[in-house]
C-alpha cells in the first residue's frame, strides 16, 4: 500500500492481508530523500562507476576491490560479491571518516534524520548509530545464497539491536522481486527456516525496506532480478 512519509507497516503479501515475515517493514519516505541522495551519487561520480561495473560489464573481479578518491579528499571502495556467481552485485562504501561523513551529510540534507527518528520511536530505541553506509547496485541476478548480515544483536543489559535500511534509488521497470526474506533459528540449516516467515519483496520508490531481527537470527537472499 501507499504509505505516508514516516509511516511504518509490516511487509505484507500483495493479495493476502498477512505479513510476509515478522521482521520486515516498509516505511514511507519523502521524495526529497531519493532526489538528494541520487543527486549526491551523480555529482560524486558514484552512479557512473556503479553503472560501469554492472550494465557496462566492467565487473570487479571476485575477492578484489577498486579504490577511488572522489572530489579530491574522499576515499571509497568498490567491491564485487565473492558469493553471487550469477549476478553482478556490487557495493560502494566509504573507506575512511571523511568519506563516511560526506555521505552522512548528504543523508542529513535529504531529511534522513527524520527517518532515523521515526524508526527509533516505532521500535522504542533510545538512540541509533549509522555504522555502515553503502551504495548497492545490480543489473541481474540468479538465485542468491541465503545469508545473514548480523545475528544475536540484542543482548541484555544493553538491549541493543541492528537493522538494515534499504532505500531504492534507481529501479528497473518490470523486474522480478529483488529480495527473499526468511525467519530462522539456524541460518545454516534450511530445515529450520520457518515456512510462514518466507516471502519475496519488490523494492519501491519512496519506500524504505527495513529488515530487523533481535534475539534470533534473520536471513535474507537476493532473488531473481533480470533487469538488463
Amino acid at each position: 500500500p501507499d504509505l505516508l512519509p514516516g509511516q511504518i507497516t509490516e511487509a505484507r503479501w500483495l493479495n493476502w492481508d498477512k505479513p510476509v515475515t515478522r521482521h520486515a517493514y516498509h516505511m514511507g519516505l519523502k521524495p526529497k530523500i531519493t532526489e538528494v541522495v541520487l543527486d549526491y551519487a551523480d555529482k560524486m561520480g558514484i552512479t557512473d562507476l556503479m553503472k560501469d561495473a554492472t550494465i557496462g560489464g566492467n565487473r570487479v573481479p571476485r575477492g578484489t576491490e577498486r579504490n577511488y578518491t572522489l572530489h579530491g579528499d574522499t576515499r571509497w571502495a568498490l567491491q564485487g560479491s565473492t558469493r553471487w556467481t550469477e549476478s553482478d552485485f556490487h557495493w560502494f562504501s566509504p573507506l575512511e571518516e571523511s568519506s563516511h561523513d560526506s555521505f552522512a551529510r548528504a543523508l542529513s540534507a535529504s531529511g534522513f534524520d527524520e527517518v532515523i527518528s521515526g524508526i527509533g520511536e516505532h521500535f522504542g530505541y533510545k538512540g541509533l548509530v549509522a555504522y555502515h553506509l553503502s551504495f548497492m547496485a545490480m543489473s541481474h541476478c540468479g538465485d542468491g545464497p541465503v545469508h545473514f548480515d548480523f545475528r544475536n544483536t540484542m543482548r541484555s543489559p544493553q538491549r541493543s539491536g541492528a537493522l538494515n535500511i534499504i532505500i531504492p534509488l534507481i529501479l528497473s521497470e518490470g523486474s522480478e522481486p529483488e529480495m527473499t526474506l526468511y525467519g530462522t533459528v539456524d541460518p545454516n540449516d534450511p530445515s529450520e527456516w520457518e515456512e510462514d516467515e518466507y516471502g519475496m519483496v519488490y523494492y519501491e520508490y519512496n519506500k524504505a525496506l527495513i529488515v530487523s531481527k533481535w534475539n534470533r537470527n534473520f536471513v535474507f537472499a537476493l532473488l531473481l532480478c533480470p533487469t538488463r
Side-chain angles (χ1 to χ4, degrees):
D2 293 332
L3 299 177
L4 297 173
Q7 182 181 357
I8 298 176
T9 185
E10 294 172 308
R12 307 182 77 86
W13 295 102
L14 287 175
N15 301 310
W16 187 22
D17 188 25
K18 181 180 178 181
V20 173
T21 167
R22 293 175 292 168
H23 316 295
Y25 303 82
H26 283 124
M27 182 177 188
L29 303 175
K30 294 179 179 179
K32 179 183 177 182
I33 292 178
T34 299
E35 294 166 1
V36 171
V37 175
L38 186 56
D39 182 64
Y40 172 79
D42 289 345
K43 290 180 177 178
M44 292 289 287
I46 296 171
T47 304
D48 288 339
L49 288 171
M50 296 295 266
K51 286 182 177 179
D52 182 55
T54 54
I55 59 178
N58 188 20
R59 180 172 177 173
V60 176
R62 294 178 62 188
T64 67
E65 66 180 42
R66 297 179 189 143
N67 295 339
Y68 297 89
T69 299
L70 305 180
H71 280 226
D73 60 352
T74 62
R75 297 180 62 242
W76 302 74
L78 175 62
Q79 297 172 293
S81 173
T82 59
R83 301 179 65 191
W84 285 286
T85 58
E86 298 180 25
S87 84
D88 56 4
F89 179 63
H90 288 74
W91 60 95
F92 200 83
S93 305
L95 266 179
E96 59 187 9
E97 185 176 1
S98 64
S99 47
H100 175 94
D101 289 349
S102 173
F103 195 171
R105 285 193 296 270
L107 285 170
S108 182
S110 76
F112 190 70
D113 292 348
E114 297 178 20
V115 174
I116 293 296
S117 178
I119 291 173
E121 292 175 5
H122 183 88
F123 291 106
Y125 280 132
K126 294 182 178 179
L128 287 168
V129 175
Y131 69 91
H132 185 71
L133 306 176
S134 288
F135 290 94
M136 299 183 296
M138 179 170 54
S139 71
H140 70 278
C141 181
D143 291 333
V146 176
H147 69 287
F148 54 86
D149 281 351
F150 43 74
R151 59 178 177 174
N152 298 326
T153 62
M154 188 174 183
R155 303 187 181 193
S156 297
Q158 294 87 359
R159 296 188 63 77
S160 60
L163 48 82
N164 287 328
I165 305 172
I166 301 172
I167 300 177
L169 299 177
I170 300 174
L171 297 175
S172 178
E173 184 176 351
S175 69
E176 299 290 332
E178 289 90 354
M179 185 175 287
T180 306
L181 303 171
Y182 302 84
T184 178
V185 175
D186 181 357
N188 298 311
D189 183 358
S191 68
E192 294 286 350
W193 298 349
E194 300 169 15
E195 293 185 3
D196 63 337
E197 293 190 66
Y198 167 120
M200 294 172 287
V201 178
Y202 288 95
Y203 294 152
E204 301 177 64
Y205 286 120
N206 302 321
K207 188 180 290 187
L209 175 64
I210 302 170
V211 180
S212 66
K213 191 58 180 157
W214 299 270
N215 291 328
R216 294 166 58 205
N217 299 313
F218 186 70
V219 297
F220 54 92
L222 297 174
L223 191 65
L224 295 172
C225 45
T227 59
R228 283 197 183 280

